[in-house]
Amino acid sequence: MSSLGRLTRHAEARLERLRAAGQHRVLRPTHRATDARASRAGRDLISFCDNDYLSLSCDPRLIHAACEAARHYGVGAGASRLITGDCPLNSVLEQRLAAMKGMEACLVFGSGYLANIGTIPALVGRNDTILLDEFSHSCMHAGARLSGAEIRVFRHNDVSHAAELMQEATGQILLLTETVFSMDGDLAPLEELAALCERHDAWLMSDDAHGLGIMEKPNPALIQMGTLSKAAGAYGGYVCAPAPVIDMLVSRARSLVYTTGLPAPILAAAITALDIMHAEPQRAAQAKANAALFCQLLDLPPPDSVIVPVIVGEEARAMTISAALEAEGYLVTAIRPPTVPEGTSRLRVTFASGHSEEDVRRLSKALSAVMAA
């Protein structure tokens, strides 16, 4: 058999296993629009599944900023920021993010995933220890593995368990967690974790991908990363830290050194998004109010953020409910293993400033009817 034949058979065998396990994914073309609207296969839908929490990704102001930047700087970045020269908009965005986070300095990456897999291995290595919340995002796990450090996973948000694991840790200790957990919407006990790290001369690094612009409160983490693709409505990632750390990352973060920089239109859109976040705090307030109303209507516990998980349990049932909601005009994605633990398949319902109160009430009514069927 030829190499092509073996490769094809290998892929087909893996696909068959994925289908048998109910874990085969497909890409579905979807046109997103303003105010949390979308269309798919010719049908108009209301999206309750994306991370555009402030409804900025289709905002005319971001679009205008991106178009103007394209006219002035072009579309592509050309190469790595260290090779082609740094687009001036990078430093503007970095200064704004550092000020917003109350940190000395900031470095913008091509994505949040790239920020984590570049920063973590630059901070610690083989003789060090990483403590990692079990529910931390995949890119934190990936960055930890790339570092070569010993990895110790503590139970979700369990400070006592983290303290136990820290007792026998060797070398420099780096503790990784999220500020808002992407699948459950709950918050990390940052103050307690920071105090633990201080007692053991460890460094706390937080992933604020789902908190930026929404859950703004003091963050004691020494290293704070996040993304510009969610509430900011654009794309990219960033790391805020003491200035010497950022200076070191410019030379040592491989996912910055060896990756093409963000295009100027994206940088300009992100800068504009930060302006809007500052000028229009009611957007975040509306998104949080929508989440609270949804939980009230369905008799769920009050939400910690704008992410509300509706635990279903079985994968097949979660998929069935998601499909039924789409038939009713709502995009609500079913999340299943391996993204979440076995037996906890769920609907991940996200709320945005673009949702009206009527949108939320209608969704809750539709979901109640579908789950009771």
Side-chain angles (χ1 to χ4, degrees):
M1 181 182 293
S2 68
S3 295
L4 174 60
R6 287 193 297 273
L7 174 60
T8 301
R9 287 188 62 180
H10 171 75
E12 289 173 342
R14 298 200 67 174
L15 282 169
E16 186 58 35
R17 290 195 293 272
L18 287 170
R19 293 189 183 100
Q23 294 179 356
H24 181 237
R25 272 78 168 168
V26 296
L27 299 173
R28 303 183 65 188
T30 304
H31 180 85
R32 298 178 63 255
T34 57
D35 295 328
R37 267 50 185 176
S39 62
R40 177 181 288 177
R43 295 187 64 240
D44 292 333
L45 304 163
I46 303 175
S47 178
F48 283 93
C49 66
D50 64 38
N51 302 321
D52 188 14
Y53 304 128
L54 300 184
S55 298
L56 290 177
S57 66
C58 295
D59 189 289
R61 292 167 290 183
L62 269 68
I63 295 170
H64 176 75
C67 291
E68 289 300 305
R71 293 187 183 97
H72 189 72
Y73 295 104
V75 175
S80 163
R81 295 174 62 180
L82 290 166
I83 296 296
T84 194
D86 207 24
C87 175
L89 294 179
N90 278 299
S91 62
V92 174
L93 179 56
E94 287 164 350
Q95 290 169 17
R96 296 286 303 284
L97 284 165
M100 186 175 181
K101 289 293 183 179
M103 305 289 280
E104 284 187 351
C106 176
L107 187 63
V108 168
F109 288 75
S111 70
Y113 205 107
L114 291 174
N116 269 329
I117 67 170
T119 299
I120 296 168
L123 291 171
V124 292
R126 289 185 178 178
N127 298 318
D128 301 319
T129 304
I130 289 175
L131 268 62
L132 180 66
D133 188 292
E134 63 177 329
F135 286 177
S136 292
H137 192 271
S138 170
C139 57
M140 277 196 152
H141 286 268
R145 289 194 297 271
L146 286 171
S147 74
E150 180 182 358
I151 301 171
R152 299 186 175 194
V153 178
F154 61 91
R155 291 186 293 271
H156 177 53
N157 278 349
D158 190 331
V159 179
S160 296
H161 189 213
E164 291 176 18
L165 297 178
M166 198 171 280
Q167 292 293 335
E168 300 178 358
T170 58
Q172 180 58 53
I173 304 168
L174 177 65
L175 193 152
L176 305 176
T177 189
E178 298 189 32
T179 60
V180 179
F181 286 87
S182 60
M183 292 298 117
D184 290 274
D186 56 338
L187 310 182
L190 292 178
E191 294 293 341
E192 293 91 336
L193 290 172
L196 173 65
C197 288
E198 190 65 28
R199 292 196 298 271
H200 291 270
D201 294 324
W203 302 330
L204 175 61
M205 177 175 172
S206 66
D207 182 333
D208 197 34
H210 297 273
L212 177 72
I214 301 292
M215 309 299 296
E216 292 302 330
K217 63 178 185 177
N219 185 338
L222 298 178
I223 306 115
Q224 300 176 28
M225 65 76 54
T227 66
L228 301 163
S229 59
K230 297 174 175 60
Y235 195 71
Y238 65 87
V239 173
C240 292
V245 174
I246 297 301
D247 195 11
M248 179 270 293
L249 290 177
V250 171
S251 297
R252 299 300 299 166
R254 295 173 67 86
S255 58
L256 176 97
V257 175
Y258 298 106
T259 304
T260 300
L262 282 172
I266 295 298
L267 296 169
I271 293 167
T272 301
L274 297 186
D275 289 337
I276 296 172
M277 284 182 190
H278 178 74
E280 302 176 10
Q282 68 272 18
R283 285 178 174 265
Q286 182 62 51
K288 288 185 279 191
N290 287 335
L293 174 62
F294 178 78
C295 291
Q296 177 186 337
L297 292 170
L298 290 180
D299 198 24
L300 298 171
D304 289 334
S305 66
V306 295
I307 302 167
V308 178
V310 178
I311 307 300
V312 174
E314 296 179 357
E315 293 181 49
R317 184 162 185 258
M319 296 295 290
T320 298
I321 294 172
S322 176
L325 286 175
E326 184 172 337
E328 293 294 323
Y330 305 97
L331 284 180
V332 184
T333 302
I335 306 295
R336 50 210 169 109
T339 305
V340 294
E342 292 285 346
T344 70
S345 291
R346 67 198 63 188
L347 302 175
R348 178 182 182 268
V349 191
T350 57
F351 295 89
S353 60
H355 292 129
S356 68
E357 179 179 325
E358 182 61 21
D359 292 337
V360 177
R361 290 185 179 277
R362 288 173 56 201
L363 172 67
S364 64
K365 184 176 180 180
L367 179 56
S368 296
V370 168
M371 294 192 72

